Amino acid sequence: MKGLSMEIFDRNKKPFYLSVVFLSLFLAHGSFALQSQHEKIKLEDINQIKDIGSIDVSKDADLIAYTVSSVDQKNDEYVTDIWMLNFKKDRDKLIVRSAYSPKFSPDSNYVAYLAPGRGKYSDYQQLWFFNTNTSTKRQITKIESSITDFEWAPDGSRIVVVINIEPDREDEGETQKPYVIDRYQFKQDYNDFLDESRQHLFLIEIATRELTQLTDGSSNELFPSWSPDGDHIAYVTKIGDIDRHNNWDIYVLKLDSNENPIQLTTHLGADSQGSRPQWSPDGKQIAYLYGGDPKLLWYALTELAIIDLDTRTSSIITKQLDRNTSAPQWSEDGSSIFFVLEDNMKSQLAKYSFQDQKINTITSTNYYLSGWSKNYAVRNGKIGLILSDLNSPDEIFFFDGKNLQQKSHQNTEFLSKKIISQTETISFKTDDGEEIFGMMVKPHDFDPSKKYPLIIRMHGGPVGQYGLHFRYDWQLFAANDYIVMAMNPRGSSGRGLDFQKIIFADWGNVDADDVSALADYAISLGYIDPQRLGLGGWSYGGMLTNYVIAKDSRFKAATSGAGISNLLSGFGDDHYIREYILELGTPWDHTEDWLRVSNPFFNAGNIKTPTLFLVGEKDFNVPLIGSEQMYQALKQLNIPTQLIIYPDENHSFSTPSYNEDVLKRYLDWYSKYLQ
């Protein structure tokens, strides 16, 4: 649910850094006349789309390594492979199967990556090297623990790794032992019931493969980052009772020293959470993401900040933007910092100049920069990017400061055979005068004299946004003669702090009204059938679906994925215990607040909309109980409903056939009640 701007189909159950496959499908090349000779998008096409993932650029800027994720239909699983782009030879080839997180050595002779080990280490993610000269591979680590992250030392002689250290386990017999729980936060999606596993930093000497532990204790140390001289490592951690707070800070560890790590940031919020601290080229400053007011949780802005290592003073350099930022990286000479800027359905590469203290965008608004992880690398003034536009899917691009060149073509052949419907941007005013922005997709043979059924789709989060990139599921709906609309209601990101925090502790109020206002706008266009309105979403999008149908009975079909409506009875059943209490207070002290945000369940008698509920069996993000209760309520009221539970799946699914099944059930449900 919260803090999750994506919907289903993420694949993150496996240790991959992946973006959502059909969230990044864009318009194929070709005119309408040419497309009329091609095939419509079909349900099974979801398994043909390839997803571009993490990227790294060699220091000489001659090579780019990146990941491509695809569907293995035979084994019903997602696989991620590493590809290499060679600029000099203008060649793109697969170099390693079933691997992720490629990173070049400083001399460009190796690509380090993570993949399962051989033999008894096959259950653990190990560090591997690919030799760029001989194309040979070798396993570097042989440990009975998984490596989750790593970073090369500046001279290439060492690598710092993050290793997940699990507690010793007794041999289990045929009967599984009971879970013994005494932690404040005792469960987590994808990790089930939490034990005392911790992630610590280790140092690997490449020549000897000697492994030295750098940190220990009850905290997790993440996102290590080398100082330019190779003498220090910055990392991110939170200390104390880590289950009860989200106060992440940056620490610096001096190698070959008995000195204790130095705490750099002291802000009570989440500093550099989910992001590697970035040293300036001279080693005197660190760029990081400032998490904002901790009391605002995910409603706070994530801003770019700089801390001086001598004075320990910080300054936020993107304050003027009033927008979320991510993925900072210094220019080679330290005169500027590149970062990803999120703004009203756009995602662009931007640059802050220290000389004039100005911010300029680097990539055009015609391109959408994917921001799941480190999606660009600056080397010698040249930048590798993962970009999309309205004529192509996510692909690798190369920018030399003047020219932008597309270098990969993973989906070009497939999409060239398909009819891709056009996307339009829309905007409308709510009754109280707020302007809301969104997108509309029409069937490719749209006839304005006809009346079409409408499907409104809503994003998760609640803080998140739909960006200007085309989605496979919207294309599928349009291919089945629906008009699809999506927008970013109040509470979404990309419009500034006031816009996204307005729904703090007030879910399903103004944002639900914005959905109804979108329906009004759609009907006013003249080609939407007001008797055939549908809606749906996943995560908070599923919750918002429930809020809307409890207030607005015009909708004839709804699909609610991984949502919850009876928040009061869900207390303690998901992994957001500290966040809920910060936002709503405790249920016994603030019962009325909990009942207010639970209104779809306690006002279920107002619901008239046939609703399909879908959820993963092991979803600890928005657990099964939320969908079960709403299904049972509508069943009691004799409202057409169905509950679909996907075995052994979490909040987003790792099984391709289940993701395809979700879309099939969407189509069947909407067809039954809207066509």
Side-chain angles (χ1 to χ4, degrees):
M1 187 190 75
K2 309 168 92 172
L4 192 70
S5 62
M6 57 191 170
E7 295 186 350
I8 196 172
F9 316 105
D10 181 33
R11 313 175 181 175
N12 282 337
K13 185 175 181 180
K14 297 188 177 182
F16 302 153
Y17 294 107
L18 301 181
S19 58
V20 183
V21 167
F22 60 74
L23 296 187
S24 56
L25 174 60
F26 280 63
L27 298 177
H29 293 288
S31 66
F32 178 83
L34 288 174
Q35 289 197 19
S36 65
Q37 304 172 22
H38 299 159
E39 297 178 343
K40 286 185 177 182
I41 288 288
K42 298 180 293 187
L43 175 63
E44 56 268 27
D45 288 339
I46 185 178
N47 297 316
Q48 304 303 316
I49 306 301
K50 295 179 181 178
D51 185 38
I52 306 298
S54 57
I55 178 176
D56 196 34
V57 181
S58 64
K59 190 170 185 178
D60 57 15
D62 288 337
L63 302 171
I64 285 184
Y66 67 99
T67 59
V68 177
S69 301
S70 57
V71 173
D72 178 350
Q73 290 184 267
K74 180 179 179 180
N75 296 307
D76 198 15
E77 64 182 11
Y78 294 106
V79 293
T80 297
D81 303 321
I82 298 176
W83 286 63
M84 182 87 76
L85 273 164
N86 187 312
F87 292 120
K88 287 185 176 179
K89 298 180 180 179
D90 195 24
R91 186 175 63 188
D92 188 12
K93 66 176 183 177
L94 188 154
I95 61 169
V96 183
R97 294 189 180 276
S98 301
Y100 66 104
S101 194
K103 297 178 185 179
F104 283 97
S105 61
D107 60 9
S108 303
N109 288 329
Y110 297 95
V111 174
Y113 60 92
L114 298 179
R118 292 195 179 110
K120 69 176 183 178
Y121 307 106
S122 60
D123 291 336
Y124 305 100
Q125 299 299 312
Q126 303 292 307
L127 183 69
W128 291 71
F129 281 2
F130 174 86
N131 189 310
T132 58
N133 299 307
T134 65
S135 297
T136 56
K137 301 179 285 290
R138 61 184 171 122
Q139 182 178 335
I140 300 302
T141 58
K142 295 181 179 180
I143 54 177
E144 294 187 52
S145 297
S146 283
I147 296 175
T148 61
D149 188 20
F150 67 93
E151 194 78 355
W152 286 93
D155 64 1
S157 66
R158 296 174 290 179
I159 290 181
V160 60
V161 297
V162 180
I163 298 179
N164 186 52
I165 305 299
E166 299 181 358
D168 293 333
R169 305 185 189 279
E170 299 178 9
D171 292 335
E172 296 183 356
E174 293 184 2
T175 302
Q176 182 177 333
K177 292 186 177 182
Y179 297 104
V180 179
I181 293 171
D182 59 7
R183 290 182 59 166
Y184 180 73
Q185 181 184 348
F186 61 91
K187 57 168 59 174
Q188 189 175 62
D189 204 26
Y190 308 105
N191 292 317
D192 298 333
F193 294 105
L194 296 177
D195 55 24
E196 296 305 314
S197 297
R198 293 293 186 269
Q199 298 188 69
H200 296 310
L201 304 184
F202 289 74
L203 193 65
I204 297 175
E205 296 287 345
I206 303 300
T208 63
R209 302 195 191 183
E210 180 182 356
L211 191 67
T212 303
Q213 186 165 353
L214 299 178
T215 62
D216 56 18
S218 60
S219 299
N220 296 296
E221 293 81 41
L222 308 174
F223 302 106
S225 177
W226 289 88
S227 63
D229 60 13
D231 292 338
H232 298 78
I233 294 175
Y235 61 90
V236 183
T237 189
K238 57 178 180 176
I239 60 175
D241 189 345
I242 61 175
D243 291 339
R244 289 182 178 267
H245 68 85
N246 203 39
N247 182 18
W248 294 89
D249 282 305
I250 300 172
Y251 285 71
V252 173
L253 172 69
K254 184 177 182 180
L255 299 175
D256 303 321
S257 169
N258 293 323
E259 297 178 13
N260 291 326
I262 299 172
Q263 181 178 348
L264 281 187
T265 59
T266 56
H267 167 58
L268 292 178
D271 288 328
S272 210
Q273 182 187 16
S275 175
R276 203 179 305 281
Q278 297 291 326
W279 294 79
S280 61
D282 61 9
K284 295 181 179 180
Q285 300 178 92
I286 287 179
Y288 68 98
L289 298 180
Y290 178 83
D293 184 350
K295 294 180 181 178
L296 287 179
L297 302 169
W298 32 71
Y299 303 96
L301 290 177
T302 301
E303 299 173 290
L304 179 55
I306 305 294
I307 187 166
D308 185 283
L309 272 71
D310 290 331
T311 64
R312 310 280 176 84
T313 56
S314 294
S315 59
I316 300 173
I317 61 176
T318 58
K319 202 74 175 176
Q320 58 184 296
L321 295 176
D322 190 29
R323 292 293 186 269
N324 289 309
T325 62
S326 62
Q329 188 166 329
W330 294 80
S331 62
E332 290 292 307
D333 60 4
S335 65
S336 57
I337 296 180
F338 295 86
F339 62 94
V340 177
L341 170 63
E342 180 196 49
D343 176 39
N344 194 15
M345 302 194 295
K346 300 182 292 293
S347 178
Q348 294 176 265
L349 184 65
K351 183 173 73 171
Y352 175 87
S353 170
F354 286 95
Q355 182 175 358
D356 55 19
Q357 298 183 351
K358 290 184 178 180
I359 296 172
N360 295 303
T361 53
I362 303 300
T363 56
S364 166
T365 56
N366 295 327
Y367 291 96
Y368 189 93
L369 175 64
S370 300
W372 287 105
S373 61
K374 182 182 177 184
N375 283 335
Y376 61 87
V378 181
R379 297 288 185 270
N380 298 328
K382 300 178 181 179
I383 306 172
L385 301 160
I386 298 178
L387 292 174
S388 310
D389 62 27
L390 293 179
N391 294 310
S392 63
D394 262 354
E395 295 289 359
I396 301 297
F397 285 74
F398 190 68
F399 183 65
D400 62 7
K402 296 181 180 179
N403 301 309
L404 184 67
Q405 303 175 49
Q406 182 176 338
K407 288 296 183 179
S408 72
H409 301 274
Q410 292 289 338
N411 292 296
T412 302
E413 182 180 357
F414 169 73
L415 292 177
S416 68
K417 302 173 184 177
K418 297 295 177 179
I419 298 172
I420 306 297
S421 299
Q422 298 295 307
T423 302
E424 302 174 22
T425 58
I426 58 174
S427 66
F428 60 93
K429 290 286 187 70
T430 62
D431 289 342
D432 57 359
E434 185 70 60
E435 187 171 15
I436 305 295
F437 297 89
M439 288 168 281
M440 174 169 57
V441 188
K442 300 172 183 175
H444 77 99
D445 54 355
F446 171 74
D447 180 352
S449 67
K450 292 175 57 178
K451 295 283 188 178
Y452 289 87
L454 171 71
I455 296 175
I456 295 175
R457 298 298 295 175
M458 293 167 287
H459 66 68
V463 179
Q465 71 160 357
Y466 278 136
L468 290 172
H469 51 79
F470 215 85
R471 295 176 48 122
Y472 170 82
D473 54 341
W474 298 356
Q475 287 293 321
L476 182 63
F477 295 143
N480 283 270
D481 294 323
Y482 296 95
I483 287 179
V484 183
M485 288 190 179
M487 50 94 183
N488 294 316
R490 279 171 281 191
S492 301
S493 57
R495 298 283 301 280
L497 178 60
D498 290 342
F499 190 89
Q500 67 187 41
K501 75 176 184 179
I502 194 171
I503 64 169
F504 181 92
D506 195 20
W507 311 324
N509 186 7
V510 295
D511 51 352
D513 291 342
D514 290 347
V515 176
S516 292
L518 175 59
D520 294 337
Y521 165 77
I523 293 169
S524 73
L525 297 175
Y527 43 77
I528 298 295
D529 186 345
Q531 299 304 314
R532 293 191 290 166
L533 305 180
L535 77 167
W538 196 271
S539 192
Y540 187 77
M543 292 177 60
L544 188 54
T545 296
N546 300 342
Y547 282 117
V548 172
I549 61 176
K551 297 173 70 174
D552 191 336
S553 61
R554 291 178 295 173
F555 293 94
K556 305 303 181 184
T559 60
S560 176
I564 185 172
S565 292
N566 187 357
L567 276 298
L568 183 60
S569 72
F571 177 82
D573 195 48
D574 62 24
H575 65 201
Y576 290 113
I577 183 63
R578 61 175 180 265
E579 289 84 0
Y580 273 133
I581 290 178
L582 270 173
E583 191 163 354
L584 295 170
T586 57
W588 46 91
D589 290 325
H590 301 272
T591 309
E592 291 303 315
D593 293 330
W594 283 78
L595 289 173
R596 186 185 69 254
V597 296
S598 300
N599 74 76
F601 179 78
F602 290 102
N603 290 284
N606 296 331
I607 297 176
K608 308 299 180 185
T609 304
T611 305
L612 174 69
F613 298 96
L614 312 95
V615 65
E617 180 187 22
K618 291 188 175 181
D619 188 342
F620 284 176
N621 189 314
V622 188
L624 175 61
I625 186 175
S627 297
E628 288 176 323
Q629 290 179 328
M630 285 302 291
Y631 163 77
Q632 197 69 70
L634 267 61
K635 200 69 176 176
Q636 172 66 28
L637 294 163
N638 291 315
I639 303 297
T641 186
Q642 208 172 44
L643 174 63
I644 313 299
I645 302 171
Y646 292 90
D648 203 35
E649 291 290 352
N650 298 100
H651 193 58
S652 51
F653 296 172
S654 63
T655 306
S657 63
Y658 287 160
N659 286 328
E660 183 178 342
D661 185 81
V662 169
L663 288 178
K664 184 179 186 304
R665 294 183 187 278
Y666 285 169
L667 289 174
D668 290 346
W669 194 260
Y670 289 135
S671 177
K672 184 175 182 179
Y673 294 102
L674 298 183
Q675 290 287 12

